[in-house]
């Protein structure tokens, strides 16, 4: 592959120059003009997040070869990738290499080559080959966004804008609308496209008439040609609208509202207080509220009826650590997640999303909001409100309190630890709880003493036991330093002091257990344990992701250290449970199917399936002051529940196979939703029997 890239690049420059042999020159008095190869062309793009440039993408085209450098940093982390793409005469890639590191440090050395009709590639999942039988495009596992330019030109040249893809599937391109963007280089006329087939959601981007990339767009994150950064808001708004229109269509076609009561018959109900299943029962719902739960025969003649076929009705699940986007909102509903505690977001974007969910134009869970406050630094997470002084931090607390719909304040990594007591004091005065990361250059003990009500992420607590003074957790050190945990004595005084403080002061913990499993135990070429049960239902991009490590594992010693760190995390959470420290179950992974894995893991520390279900429903609802409305299936409460064929009290994995999800007055059948995201359904769609006289 490297030889091919080198030969192609040099050939474009020298084939008619220094590489021409003297004997090849015809003997003539006429001097033949030699056509020079086009000069290299470089394109530069700004990487934008929350109205700030956080990185750059540059692409240099020389002949048939494109070299790309891509890097950004947000929250002290981000990818660094160097890419080389070699195009054949038909514009399709015949060579592709990607080298560098992912956001969490996993090393990338990906290669693709098409030679003599045989395609071969190697990525984190391992090697693969395929015979070329028709024009086919390669999809790199870890390519840069510049791959969109390759796809666009290739797909636009195809009659139906579709091409089969390696390693599997196909790519298609949908032209959506024409867009004019103003900038330093003058107005640019571009077309907004949706690329479909490489993942569960379309990728939206802008390209010019020749397919040249102008911008990658999403509601929060934009990569745009240099000189057009001022169009950031226009592009984000466009992406949000395009995504919204698609999701509104899905909502309109899959949300079921009934004009008469709904009866779910022949089900056993999970009683979150008793932590047990009821006898076979019927559950009646009217206008989004549960009106009856009875094991006695009930008159259902005037109701729509769904036969539960002996399955289990479980209260709607709660993810206690989300950062909700509209793309993820519907997927959470399909997975039975009817409430999410959002732990920090773009405040305006989230407000708009909540309004659309409440209006019924978009599907999504109930959202409990956290007010995100971060200190300004080169490592800041560009989210929520960024502050530069204690006065600004306290004012941010007041702003959140004044909105009237925030549950708590969340403090982040770059906050000056000296400002935290003032933040906590004002938050408590305004009726808000406080949680968060441990800011750099301090430890969990100091934050607990300052008045935190809850600690966020188990690593944030444990790092205080292994870091040296002055080490900066605003970088990936807050993850890589976990290699030190195997040498930690969990019965030693440092650990015991922190656990004593948490128990004494009633401080809860949001461990985000599953994200640590992915970080510490995922290995290249091995399917992650947390995805094994559903990965075969997913598009090829997700299947490849399931076999990719998160962290850079450079030696057998590092491999053992990371595995040992996960064991130490498990033992620490077990000790917390045994101390009576309240543990909430959140993912920080987008929720949906990842919440199912988060819940499963707590069996490792002594929770039974019934205890897990009770915690993930009624107990967390009570924790947030919502237990009078949601969290259990009983008359007077909102109709938030999910129907599964199996018995999750005996086998928690049963919650992964969901036939029906109800959120208030709207019912969804996941098997109607999943195909729209390229996901193979997990079960059938229940039959709905209408009342007599209603078709």
């Amino acid at each position: 592959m490297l030889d091919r890239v080198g030969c192609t690049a040099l050939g474009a420059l020298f084939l008619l120059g220094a590489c021409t042999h003297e004997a090849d020159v015809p003997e003539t008095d006429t001097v033949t003009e030699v056509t020079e190869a086009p000069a290299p062309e470089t394109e530069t793009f700004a990487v934008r997040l929350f109205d700030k440039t956080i990185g750059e993408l540059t692409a240099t085209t020389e002949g048939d070869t494109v070299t790309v450098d891509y890097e950004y940093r947000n929250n002290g982390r981000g990818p660094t990738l160097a890419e080389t793409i070699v195009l054949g005469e038909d514009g399709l890639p015949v060579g592709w290499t990607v080298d560098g590191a992912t956001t969490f440090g996993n090393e990338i050395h990906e290669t693709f080559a098409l030679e003599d009709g045989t395609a071969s590639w190697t990525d984190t999942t391992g090697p693969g080959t395929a015979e070329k039988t028709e024009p086919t495009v390669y999809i790199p596992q870890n390519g840069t966004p510049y791959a969109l330019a390759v796809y666009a030109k290739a797909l636009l040249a195809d009659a139906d804008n579709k091409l089969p893809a390696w390693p599997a599937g196909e790519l298609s391109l949908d032209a959506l609308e024409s867009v004019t963007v103003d900038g330093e280089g003058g107005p640019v006329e571009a077309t907004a496209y949706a690329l479909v087939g490489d993942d569960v959601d379309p990728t939206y981007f802008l390209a010019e008439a020749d397919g040249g990339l102008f911008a990658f767009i999403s509601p929060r994150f934009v990569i745009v040609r240099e000189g057009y950064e001022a169009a950031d808001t226009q592009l984000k708004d466009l992406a949000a609208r395009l995504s919204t229109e698609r999701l509104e269509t899905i909502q309109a076609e899959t949300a079921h509202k009934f004009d008469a009561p709904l009866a779910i018959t022949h089900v056993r109900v999970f009683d979150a207080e008793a932590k047990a299943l009821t006898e076979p029962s019927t559950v009646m719902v009217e206008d989004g509220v549960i009106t009856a739960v009875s094991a006695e025969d009930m008159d259902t003649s005037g109701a729509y009826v769904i036969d539960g076929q002996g399955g289990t009705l479980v209260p709607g699940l709660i993810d206690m650590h989300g950062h909700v986007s509209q793309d993820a909102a519907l997927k959470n509903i399909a997975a039975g997640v009817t409430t999410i505690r959002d732990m920090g977001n773009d405040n305006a974007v989230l407000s708009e999303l909540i309004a659309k969910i409440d209006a019924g134009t978009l599907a999504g869970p109930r959202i409990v909001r956290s007010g995100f406050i971060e200190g300004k630094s080169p490592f800041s997470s560009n989210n929520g409100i960024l502050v530069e002084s204690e006065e600004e931090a306290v004012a941010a607390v007041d702003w959140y309190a004044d909105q009237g719909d925030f549950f708590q304040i969340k403090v982040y990594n770059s906050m000056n630890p000296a400002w935290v007591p003032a933040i906590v004091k004002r938050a408590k005065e305004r009726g808000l709880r406080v949680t968060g990361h441990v800011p750099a250059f301090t430890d969990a003990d100091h934050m607990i003493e300052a008045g935190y009500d809850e600690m966020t992420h188990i690593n944030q607590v444990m790092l205080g036991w292994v870091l040296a003074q002055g080490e900066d957790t605003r970088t990936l050190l807050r993850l890589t330093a976990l290699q030190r945990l195997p040498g930690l004595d969990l019965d030693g005084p440092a650990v015991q002091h922190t656990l004593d403080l948490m128990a004494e002061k009633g401080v809860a913990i949001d461990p985000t257990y599953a994200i640590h499993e992915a970080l510490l135990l995922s290995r290249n070429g091995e399917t992650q344990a947390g995805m094994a049960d559903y990965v075969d239902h997913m598009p090829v991009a997700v299947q490849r992701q399931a076999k990719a490590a998160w962290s850079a594992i450079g030696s057998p010693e590092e491999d053992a250290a990371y595995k040992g760190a996960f064991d130490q995390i498990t033992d620490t959470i077990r000790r917390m449970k045994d101390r009576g420290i309240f543990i909430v179950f959140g993912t920080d992974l987008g929720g949906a199917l990842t919440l199912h894995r988060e819940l499963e893991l707590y069996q490792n520390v002594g929770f039974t399936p019934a205890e897990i279900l009770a915690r993930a429903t009624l107990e967390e609802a009570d924790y947030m002051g919502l237990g009078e409305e949601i969290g259990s299936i009983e008359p007077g409460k909102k109709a938030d529940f999910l129907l599964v064929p199996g018995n999750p009290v005996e086998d928690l994995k049963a919650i992964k196979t969901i036939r029906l999800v109800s959120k208030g007055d709207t019912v969804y059948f996941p098997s109607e939703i999943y195909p729209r995201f390229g996901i193979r359904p997990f079960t059938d769609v229940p039959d709905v029997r209408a009342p007599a006289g209603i078709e």
Side-chain angles (χ1 to χ4, degrees), residues 386-690:
L386 273 66
V387 300
E388 293 185 285
S389 68
E390 181 177 296
E391 291 74 20
E392 288 185 5
V394 171
V397 173
D398 283 330
W399 186 88
Y400 284 119
D402 290 342
Q403 306 312 302
D405 60 348
F406 284 83
F407 170 66
Q408 63 185 5
I409 295 299
K410 181 182 177 184
V411 175
Y412 211 63
N413 295 327
S414 291
M415 183 65 64
N416 186 330
W419 305 343
V420 173
I423 293 172
V424 172
K425 180 175 183 294
R426 182 57 60 87
K428 301 297 178 66
E429 290 171 351
R430 299 298 306 272
L432 296 173
R433 295 164 45 86
V434 180
T435 185
H437 286 206
V438 174
F441 313 116
T442 187
D443 57 34
D445 293 352
H446 285 88
M447 295 301 98
I448 295 166
E449 295 284 8
Y452 270 28
D453 297 289
E454 178 183 313
M455 302 302 303
T456 303
H457 302 302
I458 189 65
N459 69 313
Q460 293 284 319
V461 175
M462 298 181 73
L463 285 172
W465 305 328
V466 296
L467 289 180
Q469 186 174 1
E471 289 191 293
D472 193 345
T473 54
R474 295 174 298 177
T475 67
L476 278 180
L477 179 70
R478 67 180 179 272
L479 307 176
T480 58
L482 296 178
Q483 295 179 70
R484 305 174 191 177
L485 291 182
L488 176 66
D489 180 6
L490 295 181
D491 295 317
V495 176
Q496 296 307 308
H497 177 69
T498 302
L499 299 188
D500 287 344
L501 276 178
M502 293 181 71
E504 174 190 336
K505 295 181 178 294
V507 176
I509 179 72
D510 167 22
T512 59
Y513 200 177
I515 201 171
H516 288 87
E517 179 188 44
L519 175 75
L520 299 170
L521 299 187
S522 60
R523 298 292 184 269
N524 290 334
E526 301 176 11
T527 299
Q528 294 178 28
M531 302 175 72
D533 291 337
Y534 63 83
V535 69
D536 289 346
H537 290 254
M538 298 292 122
V540 64
V542 180
Q543 294 188 27
R544 294 166 87 184
Q545 175 190 344
K547 292 186 176 182
W550 282 34
S551 303
I553 310 294
S555 67
E557 291 75 19
E558 285 187 344
D559 181 273
Y562 277 126
K563 290 177 179 176
F566 187 73
D567 291 340
Q568 290 284 73
I569 284 173
T570 297
D571 287 346
T572 299
I573 297 173
R574 181 183 296 112
R575 283 167 163 78
M576 290 175 167
K577 177 182 181 295
D578 293 344
R579 294 287 192 101
I581 294 168
F582 194 79
I583 300 169
V584 301
F585 304 153
T587 64
D588 200 20
L589 285 167
L593 300 179
T594 63
L595 180 63
H596 300 167
R597 180 58 177 177
E598 180 80 20
L599 302 186
E600 283 182 335
L601 285 173
Y602 285 96
Q603 296 174 106
N604 294 344
V605 303
F607 283 94
T608 67
E611 289 172 335
I612 290 169
L613 290 175
R615 179 61 51 88
T617 56
L618 181 59
E619 292 174 5
E620 290 176 348
D622 284 340
Y623 181 77
M624 295 186 292
L626 300 175
E628 295 298 316
E629 297 183 340
I630 62 172
S632 58
I633 300 172
E634 53 186 307
K637 289 198 173 182
K638 294 177 179 177
D640 290 8
F641 51 72
L642 55 140
L643 172 64
V644 300
N647 181 349
V649 172
E650 291 182 353
D651 182 2
L652 193 59
K653 288 182 182 293
I655 62 173
K656 297 184 176 184
T657 306
I658 300 174
R659 299 184 70 212
L660 171 155
V661 178
S662 173
K663 183 203 160 196
D665 64 355
T666 309
V667 171
Y668 300 87
F669 304 125
S671 293
E672 292 181 341
I673 295 170
Y674 282 134
R676 299 164 190 268
F677 294 93
I679 300 171
R680 179 164 53 87
F682 298 88
T683 186
D684 63 326
V685 176
D687 292 329
V688 181
R689 189 187 75 208

